[in-house]
């Protein structure tokens, strides 16, 4: 279910997302769709099972029921996303290359390495990164308020998985 929802985050339209969601899951409903132009693209689906001892499905529109809401973050799929990825991870790559010449990553405390990376990072890159996490956090906060009894799961593909993991932490 998590892998499928992560894949569906690449859907190029709301209609397409709804169609693949309905085809894969009997009792699922789209509850969030950020739009493909949003960086990062975030989608969410609410999956409900059946009532205890019954074959009747729990209505996905019933917020009082306990269901599972899966939030999926799309990975890199556009030039803008590729450029933001490069900006975010350039500092890490440079540090790893320098470590081959003068091994410092394994010897310096993490706090020192963190300060070096913070100093070397471009301000625009930091803004993009904070914006990415803020977009995901807003979606998660909205869903937690709307469906307070649900189990919320974050997932994603590739870089989207990285962002989902950091946001979840």
């Amino acid at each position: 279910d998590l892998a499928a929802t992560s894949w569906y985050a690449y859907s190029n339209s709301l209609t397409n997302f709804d169609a693949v969601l309905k085809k894969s899951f009997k009792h699922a409903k789209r509850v969030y769709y950020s739009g493909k132009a949003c960086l990062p693209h975030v989608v969410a689906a609410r999956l409900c099972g059946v009532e205890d001892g019954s074959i009747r499905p729990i209505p996905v529109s019933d917020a009082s029921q306990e269901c599972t809401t899966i939030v999926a973050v799309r990975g890199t799929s556009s030039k803008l996303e590729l450029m933001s990825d490069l900006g975010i991870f350039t500092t890490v790559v440079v540090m790893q290359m320098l470590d081959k010449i003068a091994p410092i990553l394994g010897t310096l405390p993490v706090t020192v390495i963190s300060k070096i990376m913070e100093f070397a990072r471009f301000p625009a890159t930091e803004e993009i990164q904070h914006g990415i996490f803020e977009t995901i956090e807003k979606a998660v906060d909205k869903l937690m308020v709307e469906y307070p009894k649900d189990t919320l799961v974050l997932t994603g593909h590739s870089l989207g998985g990285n962002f989902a993991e950091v946001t979840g932490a």
Side-chain angles (χ1 to χ4, degrees), residues 8-158:
Y8 300 160
Y10 288 89
S11 294
N12 57 3
S13 72
L14 185 62
T15 308
N16 185 288
F17 178 73
D18 287 344
V20 293
L21 191 63
K22 187 174 183 174
K23 224 178 219 186
S24 299
F25 306 107
K26 288 182 182 179
H27 312 296
K29 174 188 170 191
R30 170 186 37 89
V31 290
Y32 190 85
Y33 188 87
S34 66
K36 62 181 183 179
C38 189
L39 182 64
H41 180 44
V42 180
V43 300
R46 188 166 192 244
L47 287 75
C48 298
V50 293
E51 294 184 33
D52 292 335
S54 168
I55 58 169
R56 283 192 356 240
I58 296 171
V60 288
S61 57
D62 185 358
S64 68
Q65 296 293 325
E66 291 182 38
C67 298
T68 301
T69 299
I70 301 173
V71 179
V73 184
R74 180 181 68 193
T76 307
S77 66
S78 71
K79 291 177 186 175
L80 177 61
E81 290 167 337
L82 180 63
M83 294 306 290
S84 66
D85 295 353
L86 289 172
I88 290 169
F89 292 104
T90 299
T91 310
V92 174
V93 171
V94 169
M95 291 291 289
Q96 288 174 336
M97 286 191 298
L98 289 174
D99 192 56
K100 299 290 183 196
I101 299 166
I104 59 168
L105 293 180
T107 57
L108 291 176
V110 173
T111 53
V112 174
I113 293 170
S114 178
K115 287 293 180 188
I116 291 170
M117 290 181 69
E118 185 179 316
F119 176 75
R121 189 181 332 173
F122 295 115
T125 303
E126 193 170 352
E127 286 178 37
I128 291 170
Q129 189 172 0
H130 286 296
I132 288 169
F133 293 123
E134 192 174 292
T135 299
I136 301 168
E137 287 169 5
K138 281 181 182 177
V140 168
D141 290 345
K142 177 187 179 300
L143 292 166
M144 286 175 64
V145 167
E146 205 167 322
Y147 304 103
K149 291 186 175 184
D150 281 12
T151 300
L152 193 89
V153 181
L154 275 89
T155 188
H157 172 256
S158 188

